[in-house]
């Protein structure tokens, strides 16, 4: 190699092609290293994705199964319906405290019947095997079916305590129970015996998806019902507002706008709005919709409006791309047979661009569905147990949203809520997956190559 | 009459107008629609629009203006001892609305008659119990002044509703009266309706501008308000962030800005090499099969909501970093830290860097690669010495966009970075960012008009200006770069 | 045809530099080049002519394995350079391309300075040990490419700032800076105006003294002006190969004659 550079005039002394010289070997090693960096980078990204999904799914899957205690319950009429009218309005006077007593008796009887000893445990500890939500469960059931009072329910399912549930999911151990003021190892032993005796067991928990949120002490009762409904309402608002406005704006900018200062301003605006941090839209919503326009806090209408403003640029941009992809010859053809500009756009260009626009719309909606930060600022983080009413009035009722529910659960003290939050994320990801799958199918099926 | 009913009536009138307009055009043409300038449909459409649009505009305007007037009238009736400050005033007003809604319900359910209501006072009747029977639960007994205000509110509201009905219907009829007589065979109905459509489209496109204006106005207005309560210089140059509930807070932005930049820096440290090298590998080396599998997988990272990353930081990354790095190295024992948030945010930003870089690298003309390969350069030499330098401006733009994204990110830092405002170099310590403090100041219980709450708007404005600046710069660079190869 | 300078040319040497035997190229399932046998002589300008899509550029790109960069391309047969099969598994295309340089249809200077454009090849191939040596190579290459006098005062300005003809000569200078033995040119003048074309053609004629030059051209006049030997490709076949004068004045194959006289192509 070296003698060649000394005599640069003719290259023909250079070595044989079949033998790699020193420098080429070095260069090829560098080449291999460089390729390796790329592979390492991709592996890191893939690993991160895998770690993310595995961590969420392993933490969240247990949320869909819940430990229940199934025991026969006597419903004594003298305690639950003194009037004897079986009128649920009158029976509502009996509070959950009254039902708690009924349940405790039933539990003690069931334990005795199966020969499970509870020696050395206080009554409170025995009752502590059940969720604090259990009396409310029974009360709601009785008020909905007043006729059952005075009879006996052969098998009634009650929520087990969150710690007991955690024991069967591996979150709580005998060791951790010793340090825990909410549960004792003795309780866990009884719980284990109850499971062996068939009084306790895990099953799929629909209530996680349908029930409303629950207070700090009862993660086992917390569900996503209000959050899913709130998210659904917001998505309806976003869809109803941003589809027409977004498509109209895209059509105007792509088909009608003459190049001038104002159009430039709009275009620059849309490009930059798409990159404005989402939390700024939350501030906008707080200042304009709540403080200025006086709309109620925590309402899906406000969340929907905020998300609409945030989503609009993200819809307009793909919609314009879809319109742009329709070849000019189509417009020329329509104009050529005497259609007006408006007719050529609405009869020909828009239908051809519709699949692309729709795909962008769905992806925009999916982004809006997962958005959290702006909703925190407009009060969607509030604790809401009541389902919002029907449409359209329900838009103004307090509600929460799926991602916000996740956040508020992570701020709670009980470790059971971590499982709930991860489970809620699985629900959220399933929704997103469905939306994106629809978008992909739409694109595959209707995409046209010009 | 309710808003929904009025809307239906207006739509009904407009529909009638459509049919009448259409028929008039056909009649004027003597049944031969070929002599019409426009199709009968457009004649109908013109009448429809002339009937419906002004009426709905009046309706919307009325719906915005009426509550303002009513509220200002009614709030005058609430004495100062009931509502000493703005917050109490708002509460009292919402009580007024609830009571008046309850009274409406009571009349609807025949619990009381309107005349009885006129004579009713809080001394004589237990209003709370009465409202309870119609399902409106009140927290306390009703203050007489508030009750009178509620009665007045009801009346004003009722008057307003009547006025609204009349005004809207008048507008609809007026529009019809103007449009209908003009329908004849030579009327350019298509042009008129198309002009209307174009204007509507234009109006839709201005929503984006209005949003920006709204953002700027609300931020600037409240920030200005904040600076009247707290000196701007202390805000921008203060090194201590220590809000107090009772005033005397120190609200310096520097610790927050430091936290924001530190987290973003670590995020870019993760995302730029990984994103850029992935993009290079995928566009220059990977086979088609690998590309079709890996590219969508990386894009999945972009589609995952930030709350998921936040939870990932909270339950997985934070504890791992604490147990395996921070504690053994004696660097701290907090699971939320700059490192936690930075790494997770870095993962989130990878797809932005990689997809932008991918576009940019692909924009480098193939002829340059051929030129280099033709000289005997290896592919990696071609990439490092020809493609990357050529793509550099675009890549820089992409990194700036990613930085702006990282700076504005909220959920990951809220759940991963911590809440302590600190100026520290240790990345395993919890620090906080601008976005975290916007959330905590605006979701706290402090009074809205206090500097502790208003500071969030100043923080928001700072954030907006910084990210906007980065975006504009990045978009400018990328555009210049693209022009170079077009 | 009378103005073509054919008669003045004689072939200087008969030493074969590159020999191709039974070369087949496939793009996916498309058989783009069929059974090509060619011997390219040293210190000679060889022209490949033929209608577009005839495979002449494809064959050219086989000679320094640029087709390797096209994923779907597959090459069969043997091509030897100085008796060594360039498609041998042991051959590193990088080393090959250092010996067989290439100039492309469109001038493609790197977005770097003129100096860096020329120095790129010598740097990556490690041809120099000092800055002054590199300076020497840059100067010689630019002089050989007849560009030195135009750019010697602005070696630091970007290569993309030159005119089209200058850019193409810069690319030629860049290619000769790596001291190749063969120089491949893929329609090097198709993007240039007539004056720049004349300059480049003059340059090619001078380069003949040091390199074996292979030029693909769509212009028969150009082939006649610059080359000593000409190969005519048609529909993926090498139809006729011989001395330029003979091909243009007395083609043996009727297809060649049709093309020369303008009936096909």
């Amino acid at each position: 190699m070296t003698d060649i550079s000394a005599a640069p005039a003719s290259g023909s002394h250079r070595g044989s092609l079949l033998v790699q010289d020193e420098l080429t070997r070095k260069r090829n090693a560098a080449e291999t290293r460089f390729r390796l960096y790329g592979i390492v980078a991709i592996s890191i990204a893939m690993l991160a994705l895998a770690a993310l999904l595995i961590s969420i799914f392993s933490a969240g899957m247990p949320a869909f199964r819940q430990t229940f205690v199934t025991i026969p319950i006597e419903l004594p009429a003298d305690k639950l319906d003194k009037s004897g009218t079986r009128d649920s309005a009158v029976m509502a006077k009996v509070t959950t405290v009254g039902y708690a007593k009924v349940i405790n008796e039933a539990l003690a009887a069931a334990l005795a019947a199966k020969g499970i000893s509870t020696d050395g445990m206080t009554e409170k500890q025995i009752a502590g095997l059940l969720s604090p939500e259990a009396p409310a469960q029974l009360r709601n059931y009785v008020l909905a079916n007043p006729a059952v009072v005075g009879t006996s329910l052969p098998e009634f399912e009650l929520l087990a305590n969150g710690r007991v549930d955690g024991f069967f999911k591996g979150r709580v151990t005998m060791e951790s129970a010793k340090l825990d003021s909410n549960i004792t190892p003795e309780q866990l032993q009884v719980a284990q015996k109850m499971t062996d005796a068939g009084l306790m067991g895990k099953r799929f928990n629909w209530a996680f998806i349908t029930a409303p949120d629950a207070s700090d002490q009862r993660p086992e009762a917390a569900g996503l019902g209000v959050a899913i409904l709130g998210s659904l309402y917001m998505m309806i608002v976003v869809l109803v507002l941003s589809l027409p406005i977004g498509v109209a704006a895209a059509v105007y900018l792509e088909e009608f706008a003459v190049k001038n200062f104002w159009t430039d301003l709009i275009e620059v605006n849309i490009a930059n709005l798409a990159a404005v941090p989402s939390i700024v839209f939350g501030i906008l919503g707080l200042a304009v919709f709540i403080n200025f326009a006086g709309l109620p806090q925590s309402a899906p209408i406000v969340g929907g409006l905020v998300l609409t403003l945030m989503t609009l640029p993200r819809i307009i941009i793909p919609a314009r791309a879809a319109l742009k992809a329709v070849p000019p010859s189509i417009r020329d053809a329509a104009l050529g047979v005497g259609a007006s500009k408006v007719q050529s756009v609405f009869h020909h260009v828009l239908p051809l661009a519709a699949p692309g626009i729709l795909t962008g719309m769905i992806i925009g909606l999916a982004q809006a569905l997962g958005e959290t930060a702006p909703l925190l600022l407009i009060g969607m983080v509030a604790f809401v147990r009541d389902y919002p009413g029907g449409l359209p009035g329900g838009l103004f009722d307090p509600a929460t949203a799926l991602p916000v529910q996740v956040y508020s659960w992570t701020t709670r003290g009980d470790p059971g809520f971590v499982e709930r939050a991860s489970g809620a994320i699985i629900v959220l990801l399933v929704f997103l997956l469905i939306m994106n799958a629809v978008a992909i199918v739409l694109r595959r099926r209707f995409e046209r190559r010009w | 009459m309710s808003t929904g009913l009025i809307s239906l009536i207006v739509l009904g009138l407009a529909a009638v107008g459509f049919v009448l307009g259409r028929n008039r055009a056909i009649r004027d043409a003597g049944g031969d629609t070929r002599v019409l300038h426009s199709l009968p449909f457009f004649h109908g459409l013109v009448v429809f629009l002339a009937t419906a649009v002004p009426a709905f505009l009046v309706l919307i305007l009325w719906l915005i203006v009426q509550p303002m007037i009513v509220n200002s009238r009614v709030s005058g009736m609430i004495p100062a001892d009931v509502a000493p400050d703005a917050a109490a005033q708002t509460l009292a007003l919402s009580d007024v609305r609830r009571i008046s809604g309850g009274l409406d319900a009571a009349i609807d359910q025949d619990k009381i008659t309107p005349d009885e209501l006129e004579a009713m006072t809080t001394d004589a009747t237990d209003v709370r119990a009465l409202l309870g029977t119609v399902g409106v639960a009140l927290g306390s007994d009703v203050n007489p002044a508030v009750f009178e205000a509620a009665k007045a509110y009801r009346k004003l509201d009722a008057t307003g509703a009547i006025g609204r009905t009349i005004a809207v219907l008048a507008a609809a009829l007026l529009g019809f009266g103007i449009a209908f007589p003009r329908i004849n065979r030579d009327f350019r109905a298509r042009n008129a309706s198309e002009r209307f459509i174009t204007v509507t489209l234009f109006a839709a496109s201005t929503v984006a501008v209005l949003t920006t204006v709204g953002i700027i106005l609300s931020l600037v207005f409240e920030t200005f308000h904040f600076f009247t309560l707290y000196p701007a210089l202390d805000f921008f140059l203060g090194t201590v962030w220590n809000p107090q509930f009772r005033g005397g807070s120190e609200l310096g932005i520097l610790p927050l800005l430091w936290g924001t930049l530190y987290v973003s820096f670590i995020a870019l440290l993760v995302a730029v090499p990984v994103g850029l090298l992935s993009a290079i590998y995928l566009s220059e080396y990977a086979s088609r099969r690998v590309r079709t599998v890996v590219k969508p997988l990386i894009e999945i990272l972009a589609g995952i909501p930030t709350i998921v990353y936040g939870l990932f930081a909270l339950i997985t990354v934070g504890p791992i970093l604490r147990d395996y790095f921070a504690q053994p190295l004696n660097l701290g024992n907090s699971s939320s830290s700059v490192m936690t948030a930075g790494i997770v945010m870095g993962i989130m930003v990878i797809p932005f860097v990689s997809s932008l870089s991918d576009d940019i690298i692909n924009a480098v003309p193939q002829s340059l690669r051929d030129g280099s390969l033709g000289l005997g350069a290896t592919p990696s030499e071609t990439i490092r010495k020809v493609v990357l330098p050529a793509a550099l401006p675009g890549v820089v733009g992409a990194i700036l966009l990613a930085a702006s994204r990282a700076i504005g990110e909220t959920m990951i830092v809220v759940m991963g970075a911590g809440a302590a405002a600190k100026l520290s170099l240790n990345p395993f310590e919890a620090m906080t960012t601008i976005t975290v403090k916007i959330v905590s100041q605006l979701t706290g219980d402090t009074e809205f008009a206090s500097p502790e709450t208003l500071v969030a708007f100043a923080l928001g404005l700072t954030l907006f200006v910084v990210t906007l600046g980065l975006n504009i710069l990045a978009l400018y660079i990328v555009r210049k770069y693209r022009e170079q190869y077009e | 045809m009378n103005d073509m300078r054919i008669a003045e040319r004689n072939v200087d040497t008969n030493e074969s530099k590159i020999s191709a035997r039974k070369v087949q190229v496939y793009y996916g399932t498309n058989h783009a080049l069929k059974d090509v046998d060619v011997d390219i002589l040293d210190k000679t300008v060889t022209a490949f002519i033929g209608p577009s899509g005839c495979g002449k550029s494809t064959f050219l790109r086989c000679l320094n394995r640029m087709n390797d960069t096209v994923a779907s391309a597959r090459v069969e047969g043997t091509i030897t350079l100085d008796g060594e099969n360039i498609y041998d598994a042991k051959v590193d295309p990088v080393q090959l391309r250092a010996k067989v340089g290439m100039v492309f249809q469109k001038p493609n200077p790197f977005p770097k300075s003129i100096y860096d454009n020329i120095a790129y090849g010598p740097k990556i191939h490690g041809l120099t040990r000092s800055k002054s040596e590199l300076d020497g190579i840059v100067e010689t290459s630019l002089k050989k490419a007849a560009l030195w006098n135009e750019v010697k005062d602005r070696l630091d300005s970007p290569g993309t700032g030159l005119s089209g003809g200058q850019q193409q000569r810069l690319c030629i200078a860049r290619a000769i800076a790596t001291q190749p033995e063969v120089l491949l040119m893929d329609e090097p003048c198709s993007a240039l105006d007539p004056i720049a074309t004349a300059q480049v053609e003059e340059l090619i004629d001078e380069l003949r003294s040091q390199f074996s030059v292979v030029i693909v051209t769509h212009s028969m006049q150009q082939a006649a002006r610059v080359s000593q030997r000409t190969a005519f490709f048609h529909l993926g076949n090498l139809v006729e190969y011989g001395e330029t004068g003979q091909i243009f004045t007395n083609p043996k194959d009727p297809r060649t004659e049709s093309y020369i006289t303008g009936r096909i192509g």
Side-chain angles (χ1 to χ4, degrees), chain B residues 149-367:
Chain B
K151 287 208 289 192
Y153 181 90
R154 241 194 101 246
K155 258 198 227 154
L156 280 172
D157 216 35
T159 321
I162 294 168
R164 187 173 67 205
T165 309
I166 293 170
V168 169
L169 293 183
L173 292 175
L174 192 68
F176 176 80
I178 291 172
F180 185 68
R182 308 181 82 188
I183 301 292
N184 61 49
R185 57 201 285 179
D186 295 327
F187 181 56
R188 299 182 161 228
R190 202 197 67 232
N191 306 48
S193 49
E194 287 185 347
R195 205 154 43 240
F196 174 80
I197 290 171
T198 319
V199 170
T200 312
L201 295 180
F202 172 74
S205 74
T206 59
V207 171
V209 178
L210 289 180
T211 308
T212 311
V213 170
I215 289 175
I216 293 173
L217 279 186
S218 54
L219 287 175
V220 167
F221 185 72
E222 299 291 359
T223 303
F224 185 75
H225 193 174
F226 169 67
F227 285 145
T228 59
L229 300 171
Y230 191 90
L233 216 58
D234 290 1
F235 172 71
F236 286 117
L237 300 177
T239 57
V240 179
W241 174 270
N242 183 19
Q244 301 283 329
F245 283 113
R246 303 163 189 282
S249 307
E250 288 182 89
L251 302 170
I253 196 178
L254 290 182
L256 310 185
L257 200 60
W258 168 246
T260 306
L261 295 179
Y262 202 175
V263 172
S264 307
F265 174 72
I266 290 179
L268 291 183
L269 225 51
V270 173
V272 171
V274 173
L276 194 55
L277 286 170
S278 310
I280 289 172
Y281 187 85
L282 287 179
S283 63
E284 307 278 333
Y285 288 114
S287 65
R288 257 176 69 106
R289 262 218 351 262
V290 171
R291 225 184 353 250
T292 49
V293 174
V294 172
K295 252 185 143 171
L297 280 178
I298 290 184
E299 273 159 24
I300 286 181
L301 283 174
I304 291 177
T306 56
I307 180 84
V308 184
Y309 287 100
L311 194 70
F312 182 52
L314 189 73
I315 65 174
T316 309
V317 178
I320 287 179
L321 285 179
R322 179 193 57 201
D323 296 345
Y324 296 99
F325 295 93
Q327 280 178 340
L329 296 172
N330 243 341
L331 285 169
N333 44 21
S334 158
S335 77
S336 46
S337 66
V338 171
M339 207 60 170
T340 307
I343 288 177
V344 174
M345 198 190 281
I347 297 173
M348 182 200 84
V349 178
I350 287 173
F352 289 93
V353 177
S354 75
S355 74
L356 283 169
S357 309
D358 195 46
D359 290 352
I360 283 154
I361 290 170
N362 284 331
V364 174
Q366 184 62 31
S367 67

Side-chain angles (χ1 to χ4, degrees), chain A residues 6 14 77 234 243 255 259 341 344 366 372 443:
Chain A
R14 242 184 276 189
M234 287 196 294
L243 183 62
E255 305 288 337
K259 195 106 182 99
K341 181 88 186 155
S344 84
T372 320
R443 184 155 44 192

Side-chain angles (χ1 to χ4, degrees), chain B residues 23-109:
Chain B
N23 290 347
R24 182 182 164 108
I26 295 173
R27 216 175 31 251
D28 195 46
D32 180 5
T33 51
R34 282 174 303 176
V35 304
L36 287 173
H37 170 268
S38 310
L39 291 173
F41 168 81
F42 287 106
H43 290 276
L45 191 61
V46 165
V47 182
F48 180 91
L49 291 173
T51 314
V53 174
F56 278 114
L57 286 179
V58 168
L59 180 62
I60 291 167
L61 203 67
W62 198 288
L63 285 176
I64 294 171
V65 172
Q66 185 189 324
M68 289 183 179
I69 295 173
V70 173
N71 275 350
S72 74
R73 287 272 199 89
V74 171
S75 56
M77 294 177 66
I78 298 170
D81 59 309
V82 178
D85 56 29
Q89 179 98 31
T90 318
L91 276 178
L93 269 180
S94 79
D95 267 353
V96 166
R97 277 195 292 273
R98 282 171 69 91
I99 296 170
S100 105
L103 293 175
D104 281 342
I107 290 175
D108 285 348
Q109 296 176 18

Side-chain angles (χ1 to χ4, degrees), chain A residues 1-2 4-21 23-24 27-28, chain C residues 81 84-86 88 90-92 94-96 98-99 124-129 133 178-181:
Chain A
M1 198 70 240
T2 42
I4 293 162
S5 47
S10 163
S12 54
H13 319 274
R14 242 184 276 189
S16 156
L17 279 176
L18 300 173
V19 184
Q20 281 201 357
D21 56 48
L23 184 72
T24 312
R27 288 170 61 198
N28 282 336
Chain C
L81 173 68
E84 291 174 327
N85 183 4
I86 65 170
D88 190 295
K90 276 182 275 181
V91 170
D92 192 323
V94 165
Q95 267 174 302
L96 170 69
K99 285 189 177 187
I124 58 171
H125 292 298
L127 298 185
T128 59
R129 279 164 301 182
E133 254 181 89
T178 57
Q179 296 147 20
E181 297 162 24

